[in-house]
Amino acid sequence: MDAPSAGYAFEYLIETLNDSSHKKFFNVPRLGGTKYDVLPYSIRVLLEAAVRNCDGFLMKKEDVMNILDWKTKQSNVEVPFFPARVLLQDFTGIPAMVDFAAMREAVKTLGGDPKKVHPACPTDLTVDHSLQIDFNKCAIQNAPNPGGGDLQKAGKLSPLRVQPKKLPCRGQTTCRGSCDSGELGRNSGKFSSQIENTPILCPFHLQPVPEPETVLKNQEVEFGRNRERLQFFKWSSRVFKNVAVIPPGTGMAHQVNLEYLSRVVFEEKDLLFPDSVVGTDSHITMVNGLGILGWGVGGIETEAVMLGLPVSLTLPEVVGCELTGSSNPFVTSIDVVLGITKHLRQVGVAGKFVEFFGSGVSQLSIVDRTTIANMCPEYGAILSFFPVDNEIFTINYYLVHVIQINLNSIVPSVSGPKRPQDRVALTDMKSDFQACLNEKVGFKGFQIAAEKQNDIVSIHYEGSEYKLAHGSVVIAAVISCTNNCNPSVMLAAGLLAKKAVEAGLQVKPYIRTSLSPGSGMVTHYLSSSGVLPYLSKLGFEIIGYGCSTCVGNTAPLSEAVLNAVKQGDLVTCGVLSGNKNFEGRLCDCVRANYLASPPLVVAYAIAGTVNIDFQTEPLGTDPTGKNIYLHDIWPSREEVHQIEEEHVVLSMFKALKEKIEMGNKRWNSLEAPDSVLFPWDLKSTYIRCPSFFDKLTKEPVALQPIANAHVLLHLGDSVTTDHISPAGSIARSSAAAKYLTNRGLTPREFNSYGARRGNDAVMTRGTFANIKLFNKFIGKPAPKTIHFPSGQTLDVFEAAELYQKEGIPLIILAGKKYGSGNSRDWAAKGPYLLGVKAVLAESYEKIHKDHLIGIGIAPLQFLPGESADSLGLSGRETFSLTFPEELSPGVKLNIKTSTGKVFSVIASFENDVEITLYKHGGLLNFVARKFS
């Protein structure tokens, strides 16, 4: 399907940029006069895209006029939006590309031309979520997990090893030691071969030295473990038009998007227009800090955009957020982020655009703004936008809802222990953690008996004895998510590490520390500023470029720690500079996880516990026995700014551009097919042709009733997409593990769910496999349910498989905010393949609800004030409902249970497009029929 032609209905608005240029643009202000003048900037971007893409079919003139009349039409009409481009990351990108490959097969089966199936807009795919920490701290502490049995095959992937060289000292008077690259490394770790365009500099001579060996080792294992997936990605980039793949080792999707992919002004055939983007990563919203409209959508919606269809959204209300004042020296941009997040959650901005303005905006750098924009999914907004010219748009906010946030009111804080919205002032951290120990099990509680709260368990590690207690930090990760795009907080972490090392402070060796930059540019400025060796000295060794700890790919904790946690039933902690901290996300045995700025991650690692008051208790002592407090080593804003000015320079961005365009040796030498149809390997456990199109017909069948459906799961509030479709490691006792074991794989070869999203058999078995899933039928956290016809308690997949063999349809009962968290299309695809026909919840996360519709699952909603409990539903009944011939948005349906109870629910479709997709059995079937 080709993209729509430029807006013929508004050709009269096209003007040349100037008399001497061939560049053209749509002069949209001519369209609306005073109506245009009152539009917030984000709405102006929507309007320009509508004018440019108005073809009378997918984008109608009526849609354009609705956007122009935003002041009266906001929240009342649906409008289509054609983004300029799409961004995918590999965990969510691989199912999208697998669907494209499978769609080619389906189109050919229906008699169509499979060559027509390709993205209609520029699509960038970053391979950034495959990295796992097999090596860290410059030591081979953990046996690598080859996964898929492919490590043995990877011998030809150019290991890039050379003997480390000792750089000669040129006699500088500032030299305090040898330039042996291992001198400052923790455990005397050595460095190995240098990776292209990511030089590390000696802090005393500022001479290039080799890349840490851990990076090379982790990348080598990454290529071996994921060879099948990488070959598929390379095939995709060869066969599909408009697809570009950013290879492993380059950087994270959102950071590469900021540093390299973002255009700000897009150009296509001499036509200039605003850059805009949607993609399958929730961090897409970061680009709004650059004045680029963008947000995360589900994989299914992203595929629609790639096929030339628009994203449909309710014309949003725009909330103006006025920032005033300035923050105190201890407040980082992360504190500002968490403060704004909490405030916006409280006032309620779900489903809205937020635009920032006011005198306080000038206090924020561009990278501060991108960090703030990143967190908007956590407070429910579609996006948070920083317009290019704040003075102009201040006038507009007299016309819309405005909230005020004084930056003076924001204090240093962390967030946790289980949810990003649960912000804790740093000064209250110790008392808050102790309160969490007392509270009953919940979002803020662990219910530890009072007499056990001071329990201590001794461990022996590397020849020394240490003590673990409630609050002990066992994971400390400065990771790629969110913060590494912000040089100020990364440099602050490095400067804090430098001062800590100079004061003689250390990090206990059993703590799993890691540093995973978002790109080589971060390594560059950490190196050139001289702080990287000090981070390494504290254990924050660069382990590679990609998601690791944040998606559960952390290195295993030592047996000594694991045994101590089990023996003492300890609430140990992880501290990370990310934006997701759901329980069990980092590691199954780590119950409390806190989000913090990078310098605070380093500080808590040094302290070794979160059960500390930084104001009154020292981090440790120097060699003379003097107490060292946090304020003694906290870098001033002036120090950070000076280093940032000197070392975060344009040349680094140019170096990243060169690196991306050159690729790397392993990627360039990787072989891949170039056939029109992908040659599926039936033995592959990574890439498999999914079964979505198995029963596809040329025309859709009439909507069928859901008759005598059993409840597969009875869930409570805030069930996340992590609960539904986990991305981390595959538990040995899980249904997915049994499947892989039956195909000859050992547990060391399982890899992660995220890495196997291209295999529907694994992902279906992994659906609802999270050990923290609380099913009311079971009464405790476990990935189990009851198969009611037999009364057996089974894995969720096994029960669903029995129901399908018996021809029994399934539904899910849930509470509020079903499907919250990261957008994840397998959180809808998995239940669909389990046989789920509908979800009945009190409320939904919008992106997940869109996914359900896009795959063909009916999103049903209890009437306001009603729930399963208020209606007396146990979930052990069977449920039946029929759909009217003329299904309409928000229509009420009657459900009848096997006990004779009848009650009404809302069919939570928002527009006719969603109803059309549902009638086709989902978006994939709809688009495949269009091609055939």
Side-chain angles (χ1 to χ4, degrees), residues 21 23 57 212 256 361 375 426 499 541 591 645 896:
S21 174
K23 309 299 183 186
F57 176 56
V256 173
V361 173
M375 286 294 280
L426 194 61
K499 292 184 177 187
E541 178 79 15
R591 292 153 70 181
E645 287 288 312
K896 184 176 182 179

Side-chain angles (χ1 to χ4, degrees), residues 590-743:
V590 180
R591 292 153 70 181
N593 298 309
Y594 288 92
L595 306 181
S597 63
L600 282 179
V601 172
V602 178
Y604 275 114
I606 295 169
T609 180
V610 301
N611 196 17
I612 182 174
D613 183 345
F614 282 137
Q615 286 186 309
T616 61
E617 298 178 64
L619 292 171
T621 58
D622 68 9
T624 68
K626 177 186 175 183
N627 285 336
I628 303 297
Y629 294 86
L630 180 61
H631 62 77
D632 294 325
I633 62 172
W634 190 269
S636 70
R637 184 171 297 167
E638 289 73 24
E639 288 179 276
V640 174
H641 182 70
Q642 181 181 350
I643 297 294
E644 190 173 3
E645 287 288 312
E646 292 175 359
H647 299 286
V648 184
V649 294
L650 182 61
S651 61
M652 298 179 185
F653 292 94
K654 291 181 178 178
L656 175 66
K657 182 176 185 293
E658 292 172 2
K659 180 179 180 181
I660 291 176
E661 293 175 352
M662 288 173 56
N664 62 56
K665 292 182 180 179
R666 289 193 179 95
W667 174 260
N668 294 341
S669 64
L670 186 67
E671 296 181 356
D674 56 9
S675 53
V676 173
L677 301 177
F678 184 71
W680 307 100
D681 181 357
L682 298 180
K683 297 180 181 179
S684 173
T685 56
Y686 277 96
I687 308 294
R688 194 177 111 123
C689 189
S691 56
F692 303 124
F693 301 106
D694 285 357
K695 298 180 181 180
L696 182 65
T697 57
K698 279 247 180 184
E699 299 296 331
V701 298
L703 289 178
Q704 300 298 305
I706 299 175
N708 300 314
H710 271 288
V711 176
L712 179 63
L713 294 159
H714 190 184
L715 307 172
D717 296 340
S718 298
V719 173
T720 70
T721 51
D722 267 347
H723 289 117
I724 304 170
S725 183
S729 59
I730 298 173
R732 296 188 180 192
S733 60
S734 65
K738 295 173 187 175
Y739 169 84
L740 295 172
T741 300
N742 289 339
R743 278 149 185 78

Side-chain angles (χ1 to χ4, degrees), residues 429-500:
M429 182 61 176
K430 182 172 184 176
S431 59
D432 187 84
F433 179 75
Q434 291 172 344
C436 289
L437 294 180
N438 287 314
E439 287 292 325
K440 66 179 182 180
V441 174
F443 294 130
K444 290 283 290 184
F446 299 101
Q447 202 168 351
I448 303 298
E451 65 272 15
K452 295 185 176 182
Q453 291 182 13
N454 296 317
D455 285 359
I456 294 176
V457 180
S458 296
I459 67 168
H460 291 273
Y461 188 82
E462 294 184 352
S464 299
E465 182 176 328
Y466 302 93
K467 298 184 185 299
L468 290 185
H470 296 294
S472 290
V473 173
V474 294
I475 295 175
V478 177
I479 57 176
S480 304
C481 290
T482 309
N483 305 325
N484 288 5
C485 73
N486 193 325
S488 66
V489 290
M490 290 300 294
L491 289 169
L495 288 171
L496 186 143
K498 180 176 183 292
K499 292 184 177 187

Side-chain angles (χ1 to χ4, degrees), residues 46 70 74 77 144 179 248 260 292 481 499 566 586 604 633 655 726 737 798 888:
L46 292 179
W70 164 84
Q74 58 183 298
V77 296
C179 280
Y260 175 71
I292 296 172
C481 290
K499 292 184 177 187
K566 185 176 180 180
L586 271 64
Y604 275 114
I633 62 172
E798 294 172 345
S888 59

Side-chain angles (χ1 to χ4, degrees), residues 70 165 184 204 224 250 323 372 377 429 445 460 517 552 625 636 647 772 813 821 867 876 913:
W70 164 84
K165 294 192 296 182
L184 285 173
F204 310 123
T250 305
L323 301 181
I372 292 168
M429 182 61 176
H460 291 273
S636 70
H647 299 286
K772 300 298 182 182
L813 289 181
S867 65
R876 297 171 182 268
V913 173

Side-chain angles (χ1 to χ4, degrees), residues 11 28 103 128 295 359 546 555 765 797 915:
E11 286 182 352
V28 182
M103 191 178 293
D128 62 353
W295 67 92
S359 60
R765 287 165 173 79
F797 171 78
I915 290 173

